[in-house]
Amino acid sequence: MDKEKLEGCGCYECVKHDVDPVTGISVLLTTMIVCPTCGNKRCPRATWHGNDCTGSNEPHQEGSRYNWKMPEGLGVSDDPDYVQPPVKPLS
């Protein structure tokens, strides 16, 4: 699949290297990337304008940049007795 940049498009693939000319900050840090059709961030069309709009905000959709799974052993524990250790402040 050829992911050619489309001028004026706001999908992730088209703006991922853009920088605000005034601030010099990446557009990805200042702009919420959403599908222009349904407005959902997890819609595959928000990732690339060539994908179809699903109208869904469900995670793990094919073609979406949110299509990933947390590696086993990371994240929140399923153990109801688990207590997260306190975070140590930086010195």
Side-chain angles (χ1 to χ4, degrees):
M1 176 185 330
D2 184 18
K3 294 189 177 178
E4 186 175 314
K5 183 173 180 169
L6 183 63
E7 192 63 39
C9 180
C11 78
Y12 174 81
E13 288 295 326
C14 287
V15 301
K16 67 183 179 183
H17 298 296
D18 290 356
V19 174
D20 183 293
V22 175
T23 64
I25 297 174
S26 169
V27 171
L28 295 177
L29 296 175
T30 60
T31 306
M32 176 92 166
I33 308 297
V34 297
C35 172
T37 305
C38 68
N40 292 317
K41 74 175 187 177
R42 294 183 188 98
C43 177
R45 190 158 184 233
T47 299
W48 183 58
H49 60 264
N51 290 335
D52 291 330
C53 172
T54 62
S56 173
N57 208 29
E58 289 296 316
H60 314 302
Q61 296 182 64
E62 191 68 35
S64 171
R65 66 190 186 105
Y66 293 95
N67 184 20
W68 59 275
K69 303 268 190 220
M70 180 73 74
E72 195 170 319
L74 296 178
V76 179
S77 173
D78 291 331
D79 181 355
D81 297 323
Y82 176 78
V83 177
Q84 181 158 346
V87 176
K88 295 179 182 177
L90 298 173
S91 303

